[in-house]
Amino acid sequence: SAFDLAAWLTGRRQQDQPPFPNRVGLAFSDISVFGDPIGDHHIATLASPIRQLIESAPRGFGIPELFQKQTSYRQLTHALSGLVRDGEMLLVLGRPGSGCSTLLRVLGNRRGGFQRIDGTVSYGGLQPDEVSKAYRGLVAYNSEEDYHYASLTVRQTLRFAIQCKIPSTRVLQNRDDYTSEFLDALLEMYGLINCADTPVSAISGGESKRLSLAEQTAAGAAVDVWQASTTGLDSSSALDYARSLRVTTDVLHKATVAALNQTSEDIYQLFDKVLVVDEGRQLYFGSTTDAVSYFEALGISKSPRQTTADFLTRVTQLRERRLVDGFAGKV
């Protein structure tokens, strides 16, 4: 795309015009998340109510259990900690089922569905309950699934998103001009011009994903959390998307956390920090430039043709990882 996002945002800042930067970092410490035990979930059939009635008869048909608090939980993550300052990007890596999605939901302040969450999360000194009550626009979470109104066009969807967060007339005198300029910028930024007047129900999966990205950009949150946000994008579009995250993070001083699918080396190098998670446990948190040397010091070497993200994801795979000479039987 010929659109220069950095130049557009910088120009807006020089004119003291929105979108304005938000300097709010993200800190989390000892995050342990508990959910329902897997064994408690069964696929229901027509005979399920009868079976449950028969099985509960010796226990008084389950009536005493109604007054007992459940204590058997499954631990999804184990004491995960990290820090993302404003203007920094954190990449979360892990195999499916490792706990990355759980952590991102907690960091995105989407705490529903969990039995218990231990540890602390701070958004620039604000606690999660404070953010939920009074500062909901401070944190934005983008899930893997796309949710849109199918009857609206792409242009109408983005216009509504912009108008929901437009500054008051005390800050912005001509709100209509700002809406039109920001709308055109988002359409060009994410390659949605050709489908701008197409109903959302008729656009492709990749276009729907780019529309979700544009909506979150319009939200103007200080902390952005992206869950598998490159799903449906080709390698070139995924790199353009990651670059747009880098630009908005730098210019608007956002704290950005993302878990991406098939992270190329070019995308990996755009991030400042990386968090490696396996089976809910933290293997590494720190600079992206130091991650490989950290594991090599532990005796696990990176293949010359392997991307850094792929290497970090596979360090716990006994059959796939390579050991440094002299570390056989020790790692």
Side-chain angles (χ1 to χ4, degrees):
S1 174
F3 181 78
D4 193 335
L5 174 61
W8 185 79
L9 289 174
T10 303
R12 298 289 302 184
R13 287 196 60 189
Q14 291 174 347
Q15 299 172 18
D16 195 25
Q17 294 291 321
F20 299 112
N22 294 307
R23 294 179 177 270
V24 176
L26 166 66
F28 54 100
S29 177
D30 297 327
I31 299 298
S32 296
V33 183
F34 298 83
D36 292 323
I38 297 179
D40 289 353
H41 300 281
H42 305 279
I43 299 177
T45 64
L46 292 175
S48 295
I50 301 176
R51 177 179 57 82
Q52 293 173 356
L53 183 64
I54 296 175
E55 291 178 350
S56 63
R59 305 192 307 271
F61 297 100
I63 295 177
E65 297 175 2
L66 297 176
F67 303 95
Q68 297 177 358
K69 185 176 181 180
Q70 179 181 348
T71 58
S72 177
Y73 301 140
R74 175 181 175 233
Q75 189 163 356
L76 305 176
T77 66
H78 302 260
L80 303 180
S81 301
L83 172 66
V84 188
R85 296 183 175 88
D86 61 274
E88 288 185 340
M89 292 174 59
L90 170 65
L91 176 64
V92 181
L93 293 176
R95 296 181 296 119
S98 61
C100 294
S101 299
T102 299
L103 174 64
L104 291 180
R105 284 180 57 191
V106 173
L107 297 183
N109 213 22
R110 301 297 188 271
R111 294 173 166 247
F114 300 120
Q115 292 295 336
R116 193 174 91 231
I117 300 176
D118 295 340
T120 59
V121 180
S122 174
Y123 305 98
L126 296 173
Q127 301 305 308
D129 56 342
E130 295 179 277
V131 172
S132 298
K133 293 178 182 178
Y135 305 97
R136 296 186 64 181
L138 191 70
V139 181
Y141 172 79
N142 186 276
S143 64
E144 186 173 359
E145 295 81 15
D146 299 314
Y147 299 98
H148 306 294
Y149 286 103
S151 59
L152 296 180
T153 66
V154 172
R155 188 185 302 276
Q156 290 171 334
T157 301
L158 288 181
R159 183 181 296 276
F160 177 75
I162 295 172
Q163 290 175 339
C164 284
K165 296 291 293 186
I166 194 168
S168 66
T169 54
R170 292 179 298 176
V171 178
L172 192 66
Q173 294 183 351
N174 197 325
R175 304 175 76 187
D176 291 337
D177 287 349
Y178 168 74
T179 301
S180 298
E181 182 181 352
F182 199 6
L183 174 60
D184 293 340
L186 290 175
L187 290 173
E188 193 166 356
M189 182 192 314
Y190 291 103
L192 296 170
I193 293 181
N194 293 333
C195 63
D197 298 311
T198 304
V200 174
S201 59
I203 62 178
S204 66
E207 290 169 337
S208 179
K209 173 57 63 176
R210 294 199 297 272
L211 177 58
S212 295
L213 304 181
E215 280 185 294
Q216 183 148 329
T217 302
V223 178
D224 278 337
V225 180
W226 306 86
Q227 167 60 34
S229 47
T230 55
T231 302
L233 302 181
D234 56 39
S235 58
S236 177
S237 298
L239 179 58
D240 288 341
Y241 151 73
R243 286 172 175 165
S244 70
L245 286 188
R246 180 76 267 177
V247 171
T248 54
T249 300
D250 290 340
V251 179
L252 299 180
H253 297 279
K254 291 175 175 284
T256 301
V257 182
L260 309 179
N261 296 328
Q262 300 177 345
T263 306
S264 66
E265 194 65 26
D266 290 334
I267 292 178
Y268 178 85
Q269 293 176 359
L270 292 172
F271 285 81
D272 304 293
K273 297 177 179 177
V274 60
L275 172 64
V276 184
V277 182
D278 185 72
E279 295 183 354
R281 300 184 184 275
Q282 182 170 318
L283 303 184
Y284 175 84
F285 172 79
S287 171
T288 53
T289 57
D290 297 334
V292 174
S293 60
Y294 171 81
F295 285 103
E296 287 180 340
L298 297 177
I300 306 174
S301 65
K302 175 178 172 293
S303 172
R305 296 184 179 181
Q306 196 175 28
T307 64
T308 303
D310 185 57
F311 165 72
L312 295 177
T313 305
R314 298 174 184 270
V315 291
T316 59
Q317 302 300 298
L318 300 180
R319 296 183 179 180
E320 299 181 14
R321 66 186 185 185
R322 297 176 55 191
L323 300 182
V324 178
D325 295 339
F327 279 85
K330 299 180 181 180
V331 179

